[in-house]
Amino acid sequence: MIVAKTIAEVRQQVREWKAEGLVVGLVPTMGYLHEGHASLVDKAVSMCDRVVASDFVNPTQFGPGEDLEAYPRDFERDCKLLEEHGCNMVFYPSVDEMYPDGNGSQDTYVEILNDMPKGLCGKTRPTHFRGVCTVVSKLFNIVTPDKAFFGQKDAQQLAIIKRMVRDMSYGIEIIGCPIVREDDGLAKSSRNTYLSAEERTAALVLSRSVRLGQQMVADGEKSTAKVVAAMVEMIEAEPLAKIDYVQAVNNFDMSPAENFEGSVLVAMAVYVGKTRLLDNFIIEA
Ligand code: PAF
């Protein structure tokens, strides 16, 4: 596997692959990889001739007081996992390589101006999706992939990136990949590493509430308010959990959904101790 630290190295290699007519896939990550990321690489390998993963903790998507410095990093372990799963190149840039102004920032941003980035995670992280869209745009311009792979766990991010790609005519196919869970149901996340043993057990309330919501819909419940209320009640009964949001929205534009009609995303962010965890499910009716 090629380890590229500069934009120039990536461009050169991708140019060669494209000259051979190869289909290039991109798996953007912030590193500290787990089986969820591995599933994205597997999917990319199955659909592309060459796969590039980026491994970059992007400062512009962290707000003041968030966990930018504490975010876990282990590049050697990441390389091992990527190589084992058939990744051809990892792009591992420095902050200055990505943001050459030297302050982990820049003057040009990519931002969606409708309400999609304002609700759900955007309520407590108002500049987060601007940072995500900006770095993903940069990665798209650097790698110029044919396809790019994102996890469904970050459902709002996935919807926003799809919209950005459409609005900016990127011509890149965006593939959403299912949530990967631990055996006991907890959605895999790099941030799970922050949890103490007690919090790790408490965190299971997220996937339990997902199963409750799914079951209610399977039993015929059509009202999103009733499903969300039951999920909230379950989460609130866990003393270590504090809800940021549990909401049902239209899966394409993130607008509030009253009934399970069309494609509805039921998404949550819940603090367990100090760790903010995400989970969700989608109902296609
Ligand atoms: O989902 C993530 O890990 C990040 O938001 C992404 C897409 C790699 C951008 O930094």
Side-chain angles (χ1 to χ4, degrees):
M1 183 177 69
I2 301 163
V3 177
K5 294 194 175 170
T6 65
I7 293 170
E9 282 168 270
V10 176
R11 287 216 165 108
Q12 176 59 31
Q13 184 56 65
V14 173
R15 215 175 286 131
E16 286 174 26
W17 285 336
K18 292 217 164 167
E20 290 176 54
L22 300 174
V23 173
V24 177
L26 170 66
V27 179
T29 85
M30 295 210 301
Y32 213 71
L33 306 180
H34 49 68
E35 287 306 311
H37 298 108
S39 75
L40 302 182
V41 176
D42 290 343
K43 186 76 179 166
V45 166
S46 76
M47 294 179 73
C48 306
D49 300 311
R50 294 291 181 271
V51 173
V52 181
S54 60
D55 189 320
F56 178 64
V57 182
N58 171 40
T60 63
Q61 68 189 77
F62 289 80
E66 291 185 356
D67 58 344
L68 172 60
E69 272 80 38
Y71 198 83
R73 292 155 167 95
D74 189 341
F75 183 59
E76 261 180 45
R77 201 173 59 102
D78 291 348
C79 283
K80 201 163 166 281
L81 178 142
L82 290 171
E83 202 154 16
E84 278 169 11
H85 286 266
C87 178
N88 301 97
M89 174 160 69
V90 59
F91 177 42
Y92 182 56
S94 65
V95 172
D96 283 353
E97 180 71 9
M98 289 298 276
Y99 296 104
D101 287 350
N103 56 3
S105 174
Q106 59 185 27
D107 294 332
T108 306
Y109 281 86
V110 179
E111 187 167 16
I112 291 197
L113 298 178
N114 68 13
D115 285 343
M116 288 179 82
K118 295 191 181 133
L120 306 176
C121 288
K123 261 214 158 107
T124 46
R125 307 187 76 192
T127 57
H128 174 65
F129 290 111
R130 189 182 83 151
V132 169
C133 285
T134 301
V135 80
V136 170
S137 276
K138 287 165 77 76
L139 291 168
F140 285 173
N141 289 330
I142 294 164
V143 180
T144 62
D146 299 291
K147 302 175 196 293
F149 299 78
F150 295 87
Q152 183 60 53
K153 184 167 73 66
D154 298 298
Q156 187 178 14
Q157 167 174 284
L158 178 59
I160 284 173
I161 287 169
K162 282 183 176 163
R163 181 61 63 101
M164 176 186 82
V165 163
R166 192 201 71 174
D167 286 358
M168 299 305 291
S169 313
Y170 268 111
I172 297 169
E173 190 184 353
I174 302 300
I175 316 281
C177 301
I179 295 177
V180 177
R181 298 180 180 279
E182 305 283 356
D183 288 344
D184 59 10
L186 181 66
K188 299 231 184 203
S189 164
S190 305
R191 289 189 169 98
N192 290 350
T193 183
Y194 298 151
L195 299 168
S196 69
E198 197 190 355
E199 288 167 350
R200 172 72 183 68
T201 306
L204 292 176
V205 75
L206 277 83
S207 51
R208 266 207 315 279
S209 75
V210 162
R211 288 197 298 275
L212 171 68
Q214 287 170 324
Q215 191 56 55
M216 286 178 75
V217 179
D219 291 344
E221 184 55 67
K222 292 270 183 288
S223 154
T224 59
K226 284 189 184 156
V227 169
V228 167
M231 292 168 66
V232 165
E233 193 184 337
M234 176 181 268
I235 299 167
E236 283 180 344
E238 167 50 63
L240 293 183
K242 190 169 160 292
I243 293 174
D244 179 357
Y245 66 81
V246 182
Q247 259 177 274
V249 295
N250 175 298
N251 190 31
F252 298 108
D253 64 10
M254 304 287 110
S255 61
E258 282 179 16
N259 297 305
F260 286 99
E261 272 165 17
S263 184
V264 174
L265 166 73
V266 182
M268 71 183 76
V270 175
Y271 287 93
V272 178
K274 287 200 169 117
T275 308
R276 188 169 173 280
L277 299 174
L278 303 182
D279 208 335
N280 68 66
F281 62 97
I282 293 167
I283 299 290
E284 307 282 356

